[in-house]
């Protein structure tokens, strides 16, 4: 089947946003709320197993600060912390401190040149996505994407397949005509459960996760050092539209 669309995750896939982006912003928000919480690099790696920022805060409370579970209007309070964290994260983006990962801009340009649809499937907020794209690709970057599935647009977050199924429905395309690009095991599970072949570009926090059933595992989109799970062939140049098409056949 011909390649019709490529669906990108955002955090860890389009950009290394986690360690020096979201983590820093969470800690800044905690400080503003006069909380003595400090999510260091190692702890944040553990917390990343929980998908979604508000869900991550609740998980932390349940496991590290359970006395707060009886707080009045807990869900609203968590949402306020998360909104404050988002503002700090957006500031980091606007300051140019979070660049795209290697090969992202090149592949997006190639997909557009070949009239392949491009979509986003993420659990991060739409504001985070739009600001990242505009700060790294220019003011018109949102027009590059046929569908942006982000935030709470579906109730069940990755590893559930809901966000990918929603994007596929918006694209009006079968899973078999699409490729997903992810960086985490939860993302791989989500895309695979939706029937989409998935390429992994490992990040610092996901390197040791299980990607044995991915179509392709790469250091990044410029790397030729990979594990190809579908065929014995190897590639001597960075990921291209031709490589993506080959994975579907």
């Amino acid at each position: 089947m011909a390649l019709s669309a490529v669906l990108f995750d955002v955090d860890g896939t389009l950009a290394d946003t986690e360690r020096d982006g979201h983590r820093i912003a969470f800690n800044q928000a905690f400080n503003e709320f006069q909380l003595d919480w400090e999510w260091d690099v190692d702890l944040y790696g553990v917390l990343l197993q929980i998908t979604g920022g508000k869900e991550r805060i609740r998980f932390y409370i349940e496991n590290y600060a359970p006395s707060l579970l009886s707080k009045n209007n807990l869900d609203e309070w968590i949402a306020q912390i998360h909104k404050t964290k988002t503002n700090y994260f957006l500031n980091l983006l606007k300051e140019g401190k979070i660049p795209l990962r290697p090969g992202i801009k090149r592949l997006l340009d190639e997909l557009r040149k070949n009239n392949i649809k491009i979509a986003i499937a993420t659990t991060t907020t739409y504001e985070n996505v739009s600001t990242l794209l505009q700060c790294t690709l220019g003011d018109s970057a949102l027009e590059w994407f046929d569908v942006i599935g982000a935030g709470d647009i579906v109730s069940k977050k990755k590893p559930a397949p809901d966000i990918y199924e929603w994007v596929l429905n918006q694209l009006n395309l079968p899973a078999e005509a699409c490729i997903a690009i992810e960086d985490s095991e939860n993302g791989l599970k989500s895309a695979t459960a939706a029937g989409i072949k998935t390429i992994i570009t490992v990040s610092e926090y996901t390197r040791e996760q299980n990607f044995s059933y991915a179509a392709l595992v790469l250091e990044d989109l410029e790397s030729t050092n990979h594990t190809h799970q579908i065929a014995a062939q190897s590639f001597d140049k960075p990921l291209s539209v031709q490589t993506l098409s080959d994975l579907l056949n």
Side-chain angles (χ1 to χ4, degrees):
M1 181 174 289
L3 176 66
S4 297
V6 177
L7 285 55
F8 289 86
D9 172 53
V10 174
D11 291 318
T13 301
L14 290 185
D16 279 325
T17 56
E18 297 293 7
R19 190 188 73 174
D20 299 324
H22 289 295
R23 184 183 67 86
I24 299 300
F26 272 116
N27 286 332
Q28 289 173 323
F30 300 154
N31 183 63
E32 182 169 325
F33 277 75
Q34 299 183 327
L35 296 166
D36 62 352
W37 305 350
E38 176 71 24
W39 289 4
D40 62 24
V41 172
D42 290 338
L43 174 58
Y44 195 64
V46 174
L47 297 174
L48 279 177
Q49 300 303 310
I50 307 303
T51 306
K54 293 187 289 292
E55 292 82 357
R56 201 167 295 148
I57 294 171
R58 175 174 282 277
F59 177 86
Y60 180 82
I61 292 171
E62 291 172 348
N63 290 273
Y64 298 89
S67 62
L68 289 173
L69 289 171
S70 59
K71 183 178 178 64
N72 290 334
N73 301 315
L74 179 61
D75 287 345
E76 181 180 341
W77 185 66
I78 289 173
Q80 290 172 349
I81 295 174
H82 187 257
K83 182 177 180 179
T84 301
K85 170 260 170 184
T86 295
N87 290 335
Y88 280 116
F89 178 73
L90 295 177
N91 287 337
L92 291 171
L93 289 173
K94 292 171 184 177
E95 292 166 4
K97 294 183 177 179
I98 306 175
L100 295 177
R101 291 190 67 184
I104 292 292
K105 173 65 163 56
R106 175 191 55 76
L107 183 59
L108 290 174
D109 286 341
E110 189 177 346
L111 291 169
R112 296 175 68 208
K113 182 179 179 180
N114 285 272
N115 296 314
I116 305 297
K117 293 182 181 298
I118 310 171
I120 294 288
T122 183
T123 55
T124 200
T125 66
Y126 179 86
E127 191 173 17
N128 284 351
V129 176
S130 61
T131 304
L132 172 66
L133 295 176
Q134 290 172 325
C135 288
T136 55
L137 295 171
D139 292 339
S140 64
L142 296 180
E143 300 172 8
W144 298 14
F145 294 83
D146 296 87
V147 175
I148 295 180
D152 297 324
I153 202 164
V154 294
S155 59
K156 294 182 180 179
K157 296 187 175 181
K158 300 175 184 179
D162 299 41
I163 188 63
Y164 277 104
E165 291 173 345
W166 185 88
V167 171
L168 288 173
N169 183 63
Q170 297 298 307
L171 289 169
N172 194 28
L173 288 173
E176 295 78 12
C178 302
I179 291 283
I181 301 182
E182 280 277 358
D183 78 302
S184 70
E185 186 175 357
N186 275 342
L188 174 60
K189 288 178 178 178
S190 177
T192 302
I196 307 170
K197 288 184 177 178
T198 306
I199 293 169
I200 293 293
T201 56
V202 295
S203 62
E204 177 181 357
Y205 279 121
T206 67
R207 188 170 300 276
E208 302 305 319
Q209 294 178 5
N210 177 21
F211 300 128
S212 59
Y213 51 100
L216 194 65
V217 181
L218 301 163
E219 289 291 320
D220 56 54
L221 295 184
E222 291 297 283
S223 175
T224 56
N225 179 22
H226 65 272
T227 301
H228 188 206
Q229 304 291 347
I230 293 179
Q233 68 186 109
S234 61
F235 305 106
D236 58 2
K237 58 185 178 181
L239 194 72
S240 65
V241 168
Q242 183 60 55
T243 306
L244 294 172
S245 298
D246 289 343
L247 292 176
L248 292 182
N249 299 313

